[in-house]
Amino acid sequence: KELQLDACYFLWNLSKTSDENKLAAARAGSIKSTLNVMSKFPNDEQVQEIAVVVLANLCQVEEIQLSISELDGVKVIIQAMAIHHKSIYVQESSCTVLNYLADHSHSMKTNINAARGCEQISIAMVENDNLGFLHKALHAICAICADHDENKLSAINCGIIDSIVSAMQTHRDEADIQAAAALTFMNLGLSEATAPMIGENGGIDVMVRAMR
């Protein structure tokens, strides 16, 4: 384990630098190795935290986003979210990765939802009220559901409306959270099937309150 941790810390430092270094790391096999480490130590919170941070840094390059998806990284990341649902580092970095992947293509949005990504984000939002995490979680849900009516409905069925309403109520004076939540509700409400569901579950009240 110590070897894997040291390697992940090295990749973490490297991945904070230039895109050239990110690509060099990816081409050397760092994506596959990082996902293998996560799969080998699924219950080790320290390993999962640093490994997901590495992926969050690397996936800022579009070419690497595709590699993560092709290596079943979505399933590994969402599994980490499920096991370490109270780790802010795991949750926040996972949402960063899922956001980038969802922005990449429609098919990646579908894959994230199929792997229960919306469900895990919704659960984590209820269990963690950290501002940084909630901000990333809201943007991830927005990206996953953008131009994807099936994902919108799935997210709502997973309880995302309650999670967003709770975040807005808990952080009424946090402009960034209110703005991110409003953007997410706007996105979710673009479908004729889902718009009424937002109103039925308290979305209207918190949105009107945020406007004051």
Side-chain angles (χ1 to χ4, degrees), residues 6-16 25 30 34 54 57-58:
D6 288 344
C8 282
Y9 276 114
F10 166 76
L11 289 173
W12 172 55
N13 285 317
L14 183 72
S15 65
K16 291 189 295 182
S30 64
T34 301
V54 169
N57 287 343
L58 291 175

Side-chain angles (χ1 to χ4, degrees), residues 21-174:
N21 282 339
K22 291 181 176 67
L23 283 167
R27 290 166 182 163
S30 64
I31 302 298
K32 183 176 182 179
S33 295
T34 301
L35 292 171
N36 285 344
V37 168
M38 292 178 70
S39 297
K40 185 175 181 179
F41 302 99
N43 298 311
D44 191 308
E45 189 168 289
Q46 184 182 16
V47 169
Q48 298 297 312
E49 287 178 346
I50 187 60
V52 179
V53 170
V54 169
L55 295 176
N57 287 343
L58 291 175
C59 76
Q60 295 173 34
V61 177
E62 188 172 0
E63 180 180 328
I64 297 175
Q65 296 165 13
L66 187 60
S67 297
I68 293 173
S69 178
E70 291 175 342
L71 291 167
D72 280 337
V74 169
K75 292 180 181 178
V76 176
I77 290 165
I78 293 173
Q79 180 187 46
M81 295 181 73
I83 295 174
H84 304 282
H85 50 91
K86 291 191 176 181
S87 167
I88 295 299
Y89 292 109
V90 170
Q91 300 302 323
E92 188 171 325
S93 296
S94 294
C95 284
T96 297
V97 177
L98 297 180
N99 192 345
Y100 275 111
L101 296 184
D103 279 339
H104 185 276
S105 69
H106 190 273
S107 62
M108 285 197 192
K109 297 177 196 285
T110 301
N111 291 342
I112 291 168
N113 185 50
R116 301 173 66 178
C118 292
E119 179 181 346
Q120 288 304 322
I121 293 173
S122 181
I123 292 171
M125 287 180 66
V126 173
E127 296 186 342
N128 301 282
D129 65 355
N130 176 273
L131 290 173
F133 158 67
L134 288 173
H135 194 264
K136 290 184 181 298
L138 288 164
H139 281 286
I141 285 292
C142 197
I144 294 166
C145 296
D147 301 315
H148 203 305
D149 287 353
E150 183 180 340
N151 282 6
K152 288 180 174 68
L153 187 59
S154 178
I156 289 175
N157 288 335
C158 290
I160 197 63
I161 295 176
D162 288 342
S163 300
I164 297 172
V165 168
S166 177
M168 294 183 75
Q169 290 175 333
T170 301
H171 301 287
R172 295 186 182 188
D173 298 325
E174 296 293 338

Side-chain angles (χ1 to χ4, degrees), residues 172-188:
R172 295 186 182 188
D173 298 325
E174 296 293 338
D176 287 347
I177 293 297
Q178 299 295 313
L183 178 63
T184 306
F185 269 150
M186 183 275 290
N187 192 309
L188 291 171

